[in-house]
Amino acid sequence: MTAALIDGRARAASLRAAVADQVAGFTARAGRAPGLAVVLVGEDPASSVYVRAKGKATAEAGMRGLEHRLPADTPEADLLALVDRLNADPSVDGILVQLPLPPHIDASRVTTRIDPDKDVDGFHPVNAGRLATGLPGFVPCTPLGCLMLLRGVRGHLSGLEAVVVGRSSIVGKPMAQLLIAESCTVTVAHSRTRDLADHLRRADIVVAAVGRPNMIRGEWLKPGATVIDVGINRTGTGLVGDVDFASAAQVAGAITPVPGGVGPMTIACLLRNTLMSAARREGVAIDLSLS
Ligand code: NAP
């Protein structure tokens, strides 16, 4: 292996420590802790694990976590009414409805019901629009975590060629927006891209967010590229990413492992967004460097 390993666990731990430090200062000044409400509908096992992890991380950061677990057959109207109550609750700074939702619920109706100024997931169209137009707002946690890892490896990203593989609203599109804002030259690839390898050969930065195990091969990469693997795929041999780690690590300059790369950054960025929300809502100054 020639690539340096990008240690997402260590980077996430230092971000969480910085957030906890700022939370203590916020709580002393505002007279209350930042509050994050997490809503889970149904009992999807992966979602339950994520919600538990978010609750634990919230408490460890000194924040108030409010967990709302609703049965799988909860009517959409009841979920929307809960979102309305959380929107109106002054002690709630962040609202997160865990996806996926059961099929009888329209996820986009729920996402757009969340007050954009409490939308710490950054999925509301208002926040997507703010990101696209360079206005301050909430940035989705996973791409934000990827950007932090990239800055940690490469420093300034200006002028670099970046290929984002995947165009979802949760990862690929906001990732591309963040890289454009960093003055990268950005290509977004997807399932209809004709020759992915041809694009990847030019890329100084590759962000893979596809959901197909080991799809991106080392031979396709530019030597020295920085590779961020967002994919989480459960296989018979355990969790693997979208990048074929064994071959990519022979060519890349730096690469994230799966697990232990992007995953831990997502929760750390959720805590960061919640603190930012609380600080904005209470008019308390905080100092959270992004780099
Ligand atoms: P998604 O909504 O399913 O989007 C996948 C994207 O990949 C789509 O844009 C799709 O193209 C594209 N794609 C599919 N096959 C392709 C191919 N052969 N070549 C190029 N592009 C292809 O997935 P997502 O929500 O963005 O998540 C992607 C992966 O990241 C999943 O493994 C997920 O579990 C993981 N994830 C991890 C975290 C974390 O915290 N680490 C967070 C979120 C997601 P089309 O648009 O043309 O269909």
Side-chain angles (χ1 to χ4, degrees):
M1 167 165 162
T2 56
L5 210 57
I6 302 172
D7 188 345
R9 282 201 184 102
R11 180 68 187 87
S14 76
L15 177 58
R16 283 167 61 163
V19 169
D21 194 46
Q22 299 280 327
V23 164
F26 170 89
T27 305
R29 272 172 281 167
R32 68 173 182 88
L36 174 64
V38 177
V39 181
L40 175 64
V41 184
E43 277 159 18
D44 177 69
S47 294
S48 291
V49 170
Y50 292 142
V51 166
R52 230 187 346 267
K54 285 167 187 173
K56 187 165 168 275
T58 307
E60 282 170 8
M63 298 186 185
R64 200 166 70 96
L66 306 101
E67 224 172 87
H68 294 266
R69 288 176 178 263
L70 307 179
D73 61 355
T74 300
E76 184 181 290
D78 290 8
L79 177 58
L80 293 173
L82 172 60
V83 170
D84 288 344
R85 283 200 299 282
L86 296 171
N87 282 340
D89 184 339
S91 71
V92 172
D93 301 294
I95 303 169
L96 180 160
V97 177
Q98 185 67 45
L99 300 177
L101 287 166
H104 68 280
I105 295 179
D106 179 346
S108 72
R109 202 172 293 148
V110 176
T111 304
T112 51
R113 189 72 159 242
I114 296 171
D115 178 348
D117 292 327
K118 293 189 177 187
D119 168 40
V120 285
D121 253 344
F123 295 164
H124 194 292
V126 165
N127 283 315
R130 287 168 171 162
L131 177 60
T133 53
L135 294 171
F138 292 112
V139 176
C141 302
T142 299
L144 180 59
C146 294
L147 178 64
M148 290 183 191
L149 294 178
L150 283 168
R151 282 184 175 161
V153 175
R154 310 236 22 170
H156 292 293
L157 308 181
S158 176
L160 297 179
E161 294 266 350
V163 173
V164 178
V165 192
R167 56 173 164 180
S168 72
S169 300
I170 292 172
V171 189
K173 280 183 192 154
M175 188 74 244
Q177 295 290 356
L178 287 170
L179 292 169
I180 291 168
E182 295 289 315
S183 299
C184 292
T185 303
V186 182
T187 300
V188 180
H190 44 76
S191 66
R192 308 295 171 88
T193 296
R194 269 194 301 230
D195 187 349
L196 180 60
D198 191 45
H199 293 285
L200 291 175
R201 254 188 292 279
R202 286 196 314 274
D204 305 300
I205 291 171
V206 176
V207 180
V210 182
R212 293 169 68 105
N214 302 324
M215 188 193 94
I216 294 172
R217 312 216 30 98
E219 311 84 89
W220 302 352
L221 299 173
K222 176 176 173 179
T226 304
V227 178
I228 306 289
D229 190 351
V230 182
I232 301 178
N233 305 292
R234 280 162 229 280
T235 68
T237 53
L239 281 190
V240 300
D242 293 338
V243 178
D244 177 51
F245 186 88
S247 62
Q250 302 302 322
V251 182
I255 186 167
T256 55
V258 177
V262 174
M265 292 301 290
T266 298
I267 290 189
C269 288
L270 174 67
L271 301 176
R272 172 197 174 275
N273 281 357
T274 304
L275 171 62
M276 303 259 299
S277 175
R280 214 176 284 154
R281 296 180 66 251
E282 293 285 352
V284 171
I286 50 157
D287 169 30
L288 262 189
S289 142
L290 236 186
S291 56

